[in-house]
Amino acid sequence: MASDPPRGSSDGGSGRSNGSGTSEQAGLPEERKPQSDEARSAFTPPLGVPLPPPPEEEHPTSEFALPDGLRAEVPAEPEGSAFARPGGTTGQTPLSTFTPPHGIPVLSLTKEAPWQDRMRTMLRMPIHERPVPERAERAEEEGTGPAVPRVLDLTLRIGEILLAGGEGAEDVEAAMFGVAHAYGLERVEPTVTFTLLSISYQPSLVDDPVTASRTVRRRGVDYNRLSAVFGLVDEITSEGISLEEAYRGLAEIRRNRHPYPSWGLTLASGLLSGAASMLVGGGTLVFIAAAIGSILGDRIAWLASARGLPEFYQFVVAAMPPAGIGLVFALAHSNVQSSAVITGGLFALIPGRALVAAVQDGLTGYYITASARLLEVGYLIVGIVVGVLSVLYLGLQVDPGLKRLNPEQALQLYNEPLVQTAASMLLALAFCVLLQQERHTVAFATINGGVAWVVYGALTSTAGFNAVPSTAIAAGLVGLFGQLLSRYRYASALPYVTAAIGPLLPGSATYFGLLNFAQGNLLEGFSSLIKAASLALAIAVGVNLGGEVARLFLRAPGLTEAGAGRRAAKRTRGF
């Protein structure tokens, strides 16, 4: 019986290479046998012809692969943003349909622009249009997310200091939004009124919002603290400090003492009144008299404040000593210009800072806060009126023929540019001390005040302009320079603006209106007070307009055109 041939033996070429280059695999299962050359190609090379190299394993390659020798184009921007889905794409739409060649530019809200401009741009956008900025991740947010109650509390405390220091409502909201956004709370809406701060955060459209509020009960003028808070907000929004570091920095700001002692503030008040009296023609004796009257009024106001009297009565008692000293000189029929003494005392009391903030809030769309600030200004001015009129009325009862209390005569005859320029710079310097400014801002504000008076004097005395447009132009330059300086130093514009508008305050027009009221000339009194109000509004509008003009030359973050992307507060067109 013949046995079957062993596996792997040759049987007529079955399972052998047969010159085809294949190994003997006849015993393998059918599905594991490699394909023969015949299966790969329809043409089998004859004997003696070298076989072609075996084909490599299949690797799917792109049909758009570059040939050898060509170099791929280097993208201008990193590849990371090219994989982000553009806003508004949904479904399975290919990203390459909407993706630019070098990727989608990501809005970077870093320290390429001051945080005021960055956050103001974000605030004026609807929530669904606000871009998501790049920001550094914080250690405390990893895994657990932001501590929402603590972030809201820190935001409100920072907003409280800014609002109590006299900052405009728009900048307060921008600071609150920037702090909350920096710590991961993107869907937030801060709200600022005159005495109430609130902020609402909604994690998503289906979650309940979290709202917190804080009431501002005390106000104080300390621009040193204001600048420190601006620096803290800049560190939070630009450098990405942790929440604990932010709380520590805020505590240090609150513990810091004022840069100038109380006696320094009193002395600065006297220098301010003395310098203001020189603007309207006063001499050395008038300077001393106005300074003494203002110092006495300041000390009496401090005592009234310590006893808990409202601010209205503090202004009443502060206005009495300068008016009393001027009245004594007038009753004595001396050569001292008593009207200049009283006018200098009024310069130290007119609430120019609150007036500028009120008009700025109104022009930027914060009408509730603007109305409250204007009402505060009205009450303070009424307090000044009551204090001065009480003294003038008593003086007219003693001597009805007091003609030396007319400041218009001195203003029409006095025109000394060098003396008035030096007096305006001294006035701005004293104002800086009263506002508790940082020492490195004093020189800028002093020069800014001198420039404002030079422009005002040139327009009124040389060009013959009316006082109202001249004041507006000079205040506009103050606002322009102040905004540019603040953006250069990443700080608030108030230290560079508020003190510089001091020489432009309508002290003489206010006093002349009060004197006419005391003498019974109601029409002339109303006319002078209307002029004073017009000058005050011209100052406020000019400062705000100068700041807006400065922003026209600034680029919004993420945009290429200067001034683009910053929407108006409202665009009602009268409807």
Side-chain angles (χ1 to χ4, degrees):
M1 181 176 178
S3 61
D4 295 333
R7 285 188 174 184
S9 63
S10 170
D11 187 10
S14 170
R16 190 177 294 274
S17 64
N18 278 333
S20 61
T22 59
S23 61
E24 298 181 301
Q25 300 293 339
L28 295 177
E30 193 66 27
E31 63 271 12
R32 297 185 58 185
K33 289 181 180 181
Q35 294 180 349
S36 64
D37 289 345
E38 289 81 4
R40 294 178 179 271
S41 173
F43 302 95
T44 303
L47 295 176
V49 177
L51 297 176
E56 299 179 358
E57 296 185 4
E58 296 183 358
H59 291 282
T61 58
S62 172
E63 298 180 359
F64 302 98
L66 293 174
D68 295 338
L70 294 182
R71 182 177 301 175
E73 180 183 0
V74 180
E77 294 181 2
E79 294 279 347
S81 61
F83 299 98
R85 183 180 294 274
T89 60
T90 57
Q92 302 297 326
T93 306
L95 292 180
S96 59
T97 306
F98 301 95
T99 305
H102 302 304
I104 301 173
V106 179
L107 179 63
S108 178
L109 298 182
T110 55
K111 203 174 180 179
E112 61 186 11
W115 63 263
Q116 302 100 303
D117 297 326
R118 291 181 271 142
M119 295 300 111
R120 188 182 290 108
T121 302
M122 298 280 286
L123 274 177
R124 293 190 175 185
M125 292 182 180
I127 296 181
H128 63 278
E129 296 183 11
R130 291 174 182 171
V132 179
E134 296 178 344
R135 59 176 181 273
E137 297 294 335
R138 291 172 171 81
E140 67 263 21
E141 295 182 7
E142 295 180 357
T144 59
V148 175
R150 298 195 67 197
V151 173
L152 295 183
D153 177 71
L154 175 67
T155 302
L156 290 173
R157 290 178 182 274
I158 289 177
E160 178 189 10
I161 296 178
L162 293 177
L163 187 62
E167 192 61 67
E170 186 180 31
D171 284 335
V172 175
E173 280 197 3
M176 295 174 64
F177 183 84
V179 172
H181 206 275
Y183 288 110
L185 307 186
E186 296 175 357
R187 302 179 62 88
V188 294
E189 283 298 330
T191 303
V192 176
T193 58
F194 185 55
T195 58
L196 181 64
L197 299 169
S198 64
I199 186 170
S200 178
Y201 167 65
Q202 189 175 15
S204 66
L205 294 177
V206 297
D207 293 329
D208 295 332
V210 180
T211 303
S213 61
R214 195 174 185 89
T215 303
V216 179
R217 302 189 182 278
R218 297 190 61 182
R219 300 179 182 273
V221 181
D222 190 345
Y223 282 1
N224 185 26
R225 179 177 296 179
L226 195 69
S227 300
V229 174
F230 264 68
L232 177 62
V233 175
D234 184 60
E235 292 179 358
I236 293 173
T237 57
S238 301
E239 301 178 9
I241 64 175
S242 64
L243 193 62
E244 295 298 331
E245 292 174 340
Y247 263 108
R248 192 179 303 113
L250 186 63
E252 292 177 357
I253 292 173
R254 288 184 174 274
R255 285 196 300 266
N256 285 343
R257 300 178 61 87
H258 299 304
Y260 307 105
S262 58
W263 61 266
L265 300 181
T266 302
L267 181 61
S269 177
L271 290 177
L272 191 152
S273 296
S277 66
M278 295 180 64
L279 288 177
V280 294
T284 304
L285 189 56
V286 172
F287 181 95
I288 297 174
I292 293 175
S294 182
I295 290 174
L296 291 177
D298 183 77
R299 286 290 90 189
I300 295 175
W302 275 99
L303 293 177
S305 175
R307 296 295 180 181
L309 290 179
E311 197 171 15
F312 173 83
Y313 299 105
Q314 298 177 28
F315 272 76
V316 171
V317 297
M320 287 183 174
I325 293 178
L327 183 62
V328 169
F329 282 114
L331 292 176
H333 298 284
S334 63
N335 294 327
V336 177
Q337 296 177 351
S338 55
S339 59
V341 176
I342 301 177
T343 302
L346 292 177
F347 267 85
L349 298 176
I350 295 177
R353 173 183 59 87
L355 179 64
V356 171
V359 176
Q360 180 180 357
D361 289 341
L363 293 177
T364 51
Y366 296 85
Y367 300 114
I368 296 178
T369 307
S371 302
R373 289 186 189 272
L374 286 175
L375 187 61
E376 179 192 30
V377 171
Y379 270 106
L380 298 182
I381 291 178
V382 170
I384 297 172
V385 169
V386 171
V388 175
L389 277 182
S390 300
V391 176
L392 293 181
Y393 182 78
L394 293 177
L396 291 175
Q397 295 300 317
V398 176
D399 186 0
L402 287 177
K403 300 298 182 182
R404 302 179 59 82
L405 295 176
N406 189 349
E408 290 292 316
Q409 297 177 356
L411 288 177
Q412 293 174 357
L413 298 177
Y414 189 73
N415 184 18
E416 294 291 338
L418 295 179
V419 176
Q420 290 176 310
T421 302
S424 64
M425 296 180 68
L426 180 61
L427 190 152
L429 174 63
F431 220 146
C432 291
V433 177
L434 288 176
L435 296 174
Q436 302 276 6
Q437 292 188 193
E438 291 180 297
R439 290 178 173 84
H440 66 83
T441 64
V442 172
F444 294 104
T446 302
I447 296 174
N448 207 5
V451 171
W453 180 260
V454 169
V455 172
Y456 171 79
L459 292 176
T460 54
S461 302
T462 305
F465 280 27
N466 186 270
V468 175
S470 301
T471 302
I473 294 173
L477 290 177
V478 169
L480 175 63
F481 295 155
Q483 286 291 340
L484 293 178
L485 286 172
S486 67
R487 293 310 185 262
Y488 174 74
R489 304 187 67 90
Y490 296 93
S492 172
L494 290 181
Y496 304 101
V497 171
T498 306
I501 64 173
L504 304 176
L505 293 176
S508 59
T510 304
Y511 165 68
F512 189 56
L514 299 181
L515 180 61
N516 279 311
F517 278 139
Q519 293 175 344
N521 303 324
L522 298 183
L523 293 179
E524 291 81 357
F526 278 116
S527 177
S528 296
L529 289 183
I530 291 174
K531 179 182 178 181
S534 301
L535 293 174
L537 291 177
I539 293 173
V541 173
V543 168
N544 181 264
L545 182 60
E548 296 298 327
V549 170
R551 294 189 183 103
L552 292 178
F553 301 99
L554 300 173
R555 292 186 176 182
L559 300 174
T560 56
E561 296 181 1
R566 183 175 183 265
R567 302 186 178 185
K570 287 194 173 185
R571 196 177 293 274
T572 59
R573 300 191 184 277
F575 300 116

